[in-house]
């Protein structure tokens, strides 16, 4: 690790990145922390799958556990799309949050995982979790910018981003990922994106941007930015219908934050999708 890539002024290069880092450094939201407390896997993403309606009868802890089950199920779906990964492979978690998906990847594949985030608090938290889990030699968290990680070229079998791409320019991101992936390496993305067909950013999508200080991209931009960077999609899965139950349950929970109605409106009106894209790194001009 060199100072040139980890020094704060080099990691946080714009005022926008500083504001995103400040948001995640200060984030203590029960919708993330209480859910993570269930089994020590802390996520900052949404859920997939049907919920058990009996949890609505209470007590509250049952709803919390059910929401957490759905968010871990989401991470499992992401990992299902990484293809064959061996113990000797390295994976990169772009925008790793408190590390939940990184630990699940290590548990599943036994491989090494590097998580990068621009939040120093998250690096500290996730590194503490790695120590506690006894995997600190295999799962490492770094205060680095995923647009310019400083890691070695062609060194990763797989890279994923779990709800992080709305913070960055996709062409810059996929250029860096294409550099980092070995030939035939797999990139998997789960993201919310807006629907080009409905004619621009809807009011509900703008509310999501405002809530998270992010900028949701149109669906089309993922594919043009991948094509420009030698990333060829092998799977594209519209997860929208599968994520709606999570939002319905969350809207009825004690950890609702107020953003639930924007997500539900955006998904139901069709202005927003929850998308998984898996792509392989091919050769070509870089
Ligand atoms: C919604 S959270 C998702 C966290 C994690 N992927 C998960 O599923 O739990 C967004 C994450 O993106 C990170 N992030 C945003 N911009 C970044 C950048 N330019 N480089 C690295 N991480 C970034 C934030 O620090 C935060 O950890």
């Amino acid at each position: 690790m060199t100072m040139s890539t980890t020094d704060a002024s080099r990691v946080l290069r714009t005022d926008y990145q500083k504001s995103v880092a400040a948001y995640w450094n200060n984030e203590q939201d029960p919708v993330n922390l209480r859910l993570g407390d269930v089994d020590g896997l802390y996520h900052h993403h949404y859920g997939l799958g049907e919920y058990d309606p009996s949890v609505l009868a209470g007590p509250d802890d049952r709803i919390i556990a059910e929401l957490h089950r759905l968010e871990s199920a989401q991470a499992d779906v992401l990992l299902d799309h990484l293809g064959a990964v061996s113990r000797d492979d390295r994976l990169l978690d772009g925008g790793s949050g408190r590390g939940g998906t990184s630990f699940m990847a290590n548990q599943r594949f036994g491989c090494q995982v590097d998580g990068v985030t621009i939040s120093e608090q998250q690096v500290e938290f996730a590194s503490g979790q790695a120590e506690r889990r006894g995997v600190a030699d295999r799962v490492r968290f770094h205060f680095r910018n995923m647009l310019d990680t400083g890691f070695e070229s062609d060194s990763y079998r797989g890279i994923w981003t779990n709800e992080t791409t709305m913070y960055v320019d996709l062409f810059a991101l996929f250029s860096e990922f294409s550099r980092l992936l070995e030939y035939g390496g797999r990139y998997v993305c789960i993201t919310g994106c807006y629907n080009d067909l409905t004619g621009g950013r809807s009011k509900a999508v703008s509310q999501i941007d405002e809530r998270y200080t992010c900028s949701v991209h149109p669906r089309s931009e993922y594919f043009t930015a991948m094509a420009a960077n030698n990333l060829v999609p092998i799977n594209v899965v519209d997860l929208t219908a599968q994520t709606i139950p999570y939002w319905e349950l969350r809207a009825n929970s004690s950890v609702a934050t107020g953003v639930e109605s924007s997500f539900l409106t955006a998904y139901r009106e069709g202005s927003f999708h929850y998308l998984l894209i898996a792509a392989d790194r091919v050769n070509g001009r870089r």
Side-chain angles (χ1 to χ4, degrees):
M1 194 178 296
T2 60
M3 279 310 286
S4 62
T5 49
T6 57
D7 175 57
S9 64
R10 300 297 299 263
V11 175
L12 307 175
R13 294 189 177 170
T14 62
D15 288 344
Y16 172 68
Q17 287 170 359
K18 285 178 193 155
S19 71
V20 172
Y23 175 91
W24 290 106
N25 279 333
N26 293 318
E27 189 277 337
Q28 295 288 337
D29 206 322
V31 78
N32 299 310
L33 293 177
R34 274 195 69 198
L35 272 58
D37 288 343
V38 170
D39 64 0
L41 281 173
Y42 292 83
H43 300 299
H44 292 274
H45 59 246
Y46 311 127
L48 285 181
E50 295 294 332
Y51 65 85
D52 171 1
S54 76
V55 302
L56 289 168
D60 189 46
D61 283 353
R62 286 188 68 206
I63 299 184
I64 299 295
E66 189 66 352
L67 284 169
H68 183 59
R69 186 180 69 77
L70 300 184
E71 59 178 12
S72 286
Q74 186 265 26
D76 268 327
V77 169
L78 187 156
L79 298 177
D80 288 345
H81 285 84
L82 274 173
V85 178
S86 76
R87 265 191 75 78
D88 298 331
D89 286 326
R90 288 176 71 195
L91 299 177
L92 180 76
D93 182 351
S96 46
R98 285 187 166 95
T101 311
S102 292
F103 294 121
M104 288 174 66
N106 167 262
Q107 268 167 14
R108 185 190 287 217
F109 304 116
C111 61
Q112 292 188 49
V113 183
D114 289 302
V116 293
T117 169
I118 53 173
S119 160
E120 290 175 275
Q121 292 303 316
Q122 288 185 332
V123 171
E124 196 180 312
F125 184 97
S127 301
Q129 291 294 110
E131 290 285 346
R132 207 158 299 132
R133 292 172 167 270
V135 294
D137 58 332
R138 306 287 289 168
V139 186
R140 299 184 186 87
F141 296 94
H142 312 263
F143 174 53
R144 295 194 183 207
N145 195 318
M146 63 182 170
L147 297 176
D148 180 14
T149 60
F151 292 136
E152 203 182 322
S153 298
D154 304 312
S155 58
Y156 287 95
R157 179 68 210 156
I159 299 180
W160 72 84
T161 49
N162 201 347
E163 296 184 14
T164 68
T165 46
M166 58 290 289
Y167 291 104
V168 294
D169 177 88
L170 295 181
F171 288 85
L173 183 71
F174 296 160
S175 169
E176 175 67 351
F177 286 177
S178 186
R179 182 185 75 75
L180 292 170
L181 280 170
E182 62 189 39
Y183 173 74
R186 175 69 55 84
Y187 168 57
V188 182
C189 169
I190 293 187
T191 188
C193 55
Y194 75 76
N195 187 357
D196 302 82
L197 289 175
T198 48
R201 199 175 300 268
S202 66
K203 187 171 176 185
V205 170
S206 299
Q207 289 164 350
I208 294 167
D209 280 347
E210 171 65 22
R211 167 69 180 76
Y212 294 106
T213 321
C214 68
S215 181
V216 166
H217 301 293
R219 170 164 43 119
S220 55
E221 203 160 304
Y222 283 88
F223 300 97
T224 47
M226 282 186 189
N229 287 290
N230 299 323
L231 293 170
V232 178
I234 175 85
N235 288 117
V236 179
V237 188
D238 181 1
L239 299 169
T240 307
Q242 293 177 55
T243 195
I244 286 177
Y246 162 87
W247 286 101
E248 289 171 341
L249 180 60
R250 183 167 145 169
N252 284 301
S253 75
S254 61
V255 291
T257 63
V259 78
E260 290 76 14
S261 59
S262 302
F263 275 88
L264 283 167
T265 300
Y267 284 138
R268 286 176 181 149
E269 73 188 8
S271 66
F272 191 52
H273 323 286
Y274 199 44
L275 211 65
L276 179 148
I277 309 168
D280 291 331
R281 210 275 269 165
V282 300
N283 275 337
R285 275 179 297 153
R286 278 200 273 163

